[in-house]
Amino acid sequence: MGEVDPAFIQPAEHRPNLSFTEAQGIPLIDLNSSSNAATEDLVAEIGAACKNWGFFQVINHGVPPETRRKLEAAARRFFAQPPEEKRKVRRDEANPQGYYDTELTKNVRDWKEVLDLTVKNPTILPASLDPADGELRQLVNRWPENLPELREAFEEYAGEMEKLSHKLLRLISLSLGLQENRLSGFFNDHTSFIRLNHYPPCPIPHLALGVGRHKDGGALTVLAQDEVGGLEVKRKADGEWVRVRPTPEAFIINVGDIIQVWSNEEYESVEHRVMVNSEKERFSIPFFFNPDHSVMVEPLKELVTEQSPAKYRPYNWGRFLTNRKLSNFKNLGVDNVQIHHFRLQESSS
Ligand code: OGA
Ligand code: NI
């Protein structure tokens, strides 16, 4: 690569620091508990991690290592293909599922290429952003025809991600003092998707990012990162960017915007970003656990009191997601929809 496209250059205040902190990392939680007493401890640990960090890693999560390795291997094979092969499954405005390498985060280009696939095939979303328009559309996956093993590995992995996410959702519900299954009904016809990420080596790692700083818009994210590392989380305690050290076989979990709203900000969705480096390529696979398109997201009644009134007005998840998918397809010149647009004014007392 010769000259680097200026679209990749981060504004000075958002450029990464190449000498990063790795001290005081995010909590590591062992999900393997059999007794009731152990479950109580686990719930307390999850609650503390959600509250203090918004991020944690899990081990003994029950996802078979081969299931993960098969999808990781298929993703490597997919991205190693020539550009014209990858472009055969390229996304377009009508169906934003598939391959692309031009994603913008906060209107700066990310140093990455991705393949997006929905877990339910097809996945149902509103056809337009207009609340009066009840029309729906179907997102259909584009499978690379020459790599049938990718589809097979994906389906197996997606099933495991659904199981793990429901387990985490039950633990998070308990940690908020709710019934174990309080949140599961929102996910019957869920709109979850999996992104295969490839971050190629980058000649300007001090100026660009693999993914610019952002929060995840869904309920929960379950991320598999490889051994290279690069994910940074904004530490709530002091606002420092801290690197998440790769832990073999672990998954990284983070609270998304929807849990922030459901919990009425008991838990917050935390900013994160991805650094790239000039020598090694990196792969990662986030699973974004998202509710049905029809869900109206709002603070749960059990968590709203006179002392802590609802901090958000209800918004429709399907239209929120449609807005995101459209605005990262083309640069609309403005930031895309954010939950703070639904934040209610603090009443001054
Ligand atoms: C994302 C993300 C992190 C990573 O895709 O939303 O935060 O390590 N990815 O790839
Ligand atoms: Ni993210």
Side-chain angles (χ1 to χ4, degrees):
M1 186 178 291
E3 283 292 290
V4 170
D5 183 340
F8 287 110
I9 310 294
Q10 294 285 331
E13 67 275 27
H14 296 306
R15 288 177 195 163
N17 184 351
L18 294 190
S19 61
F20 48 83
T21 355
E22 214 178 58
Q24 238 320 299
I26 65 170
L28 182 67
I29 298 181
D30 186 338
L31 288 186
N32 183 16
S33 70
S34 32
S35 71
N36 279 339
T39 306
E40 252 169 60
D41 289 349
L42 178 56
V43 167
E45 246 186 292
I46 298 251
C50 289
K51 180 104 190 120
N52 302 330
W53 282 90
F55 262 89
F56 51 97
Q57 302 204 65
V58 293
I59 51 169
N60 292 321
H61 39 65
V63 178
E66 333 60 274
T67 303
R68 173 167 169 176
R69 270 195 286 279
K70 273 188 270 180
L71 186 58
E72 286 172 338
R76 278 175 189 267
R77 260 176 258 136
F78 173 76
F79 289 116
Q81 300 180 108
E84 58 280 12
E85 268 315 306
K86 292 185 272 196
R87 281 195 213 112
K88 287 182 183 163
V89 291
R90 185 166 49 177
R91 76 171 187 172
D92 54 38
E93 197 166 350
N95 181 5
Q97 297 311 298
Y99 171 79
Y100 60 109
D101 63 359
T102 52
E103 186 162 66
L104 303 164
T105 301
K106 311 234 188 289
N107 296 325
V108 180
R109 202 165 149 192
D110 291 335
W111 194 273
K112 69 175 182 195
E113 52 179 345
V114 314
L115 180 64
D116 279 343
L117 296 161
T118 57
V119 171
K120 292 222 164 191
N121 192 27
T123 284
I124 315 295
L125 282 185
S128 81
L129 298 177
D130 177 3
D133 177 1
E135 202 182 319
L136 300 172
R137 65 173 172 156
Q138 298 194 333
L139 301 185
V140 182
N141 282 333
R142 298 188 157 98
W143 301 107
E145 271 173 31
N146 54 339
L147 290 173
E149 71 273 25
L150 189 145
R151 179 172 188 167
E152 209 172 293
F154 177 89
E155 285 168 354
E156 185 179 319
Y157 185 84
E160 292 295 335
M161 288 298 107
E162 286 184 74
K163 272 196 272 177
L164 175 56
S165 299
H166 275 286
K167 186 190 285 186
L168 292 163
L169 204 60
R170 288 193 294 273
L171 291 163
I172 289 173
S173 300
L174 290 170
S175 78
L176 287 165
L178 303 166
Q179 296 284 333
E180 188 172 54
N181 288 320
R182 175 65 171 91
L183 303 172
S184 48
F186 293 128
F187 295 84
N188 292 332
D189 206 7
H190 63 100
T191 55
S192 307
F193 69 101
I194 290 182
R195 171 168 284 179
L196 307 180
N197 276 314
H198 175 222
Y199 303 97
C202 175
I204 50 159
H206 54 301
L207 298 177
L209 287 167
V211 187
R213 77 203 154 88
H214 69 283
K215 297 175 181 180
D216 294 345
L220 270 185
T221 305
V222 179
L223 174 82
Q225 71 162 341
D226 69 10
E227 69 298 340
V228 173
L231 173 63
E232 293 192 317
V233 172
K234 198 164 190 176
R235 184 162 55 199
K236 281 181 80 174
D238 56 6
E240 280 292 308
W241 287 106
V242 285
R243 174 77 70 116
V244 179
R245 186 184 296 119
T247 304
E249 311 288 343
F251 288 99
I252 299 163
I253 314 298
N254 67 289
V255 164
D257 289 345
I258 292 179
I259 286 188
Q260 172 168 329
V261 174
W262 278 340
S263 73
N264 206 25
E265 293 187 357
E266 180 66 15
Y267 298 159
E268 283 167 308
S269 175
V270 165
E271 227 169 19
H272 52 286
R273 66 183 188 184
V274 174
M275 281 175 59
V276 280
N277 72 80
S278 53
E279 284 128 47
K280 287 189 199 138
E281 62 181 342
R282 173 175 182 264
F283 296 86
S284 75
I285 308 178
F287 168 85
F288 299 103
F289 192 42
N290 296 335
D292 304 5
H293 74 84
S294 60
V295 166
M296 295 301 292
V297 184
E298 61 185 314
L300 300 168
K301 295 196 177 49
E302 300 92 315
L303 302 177
V304 170
T305 61
E306 214 168 312
Q307 290 75 43
S308 112
K311 295 190 166 86
Y312 295 86
R313 61 187 165 85
Y315 65 91
N316 172 252
W317 166 249
R319 275 189 293 277
F320 185 98
L321 184 58
T322 300
N323 179 306
R324 283 281 173 96
K325 296 243 174 219
L326 285 176
S327 60
N328 59 23
F329 185 78
K330 52 185 173 198
N331 184 351
L332 301 174
V334 291
D335 282 351
N336 55 17
V337 66
Q338 303 286 342
I339 53 167
H340 72 240
H341 298 142
F342 307 102
R343 185 84 166 57
L344 295 166
Q345 256 0 43
E346 305 270 357
S347 59
S348 49
S349 48

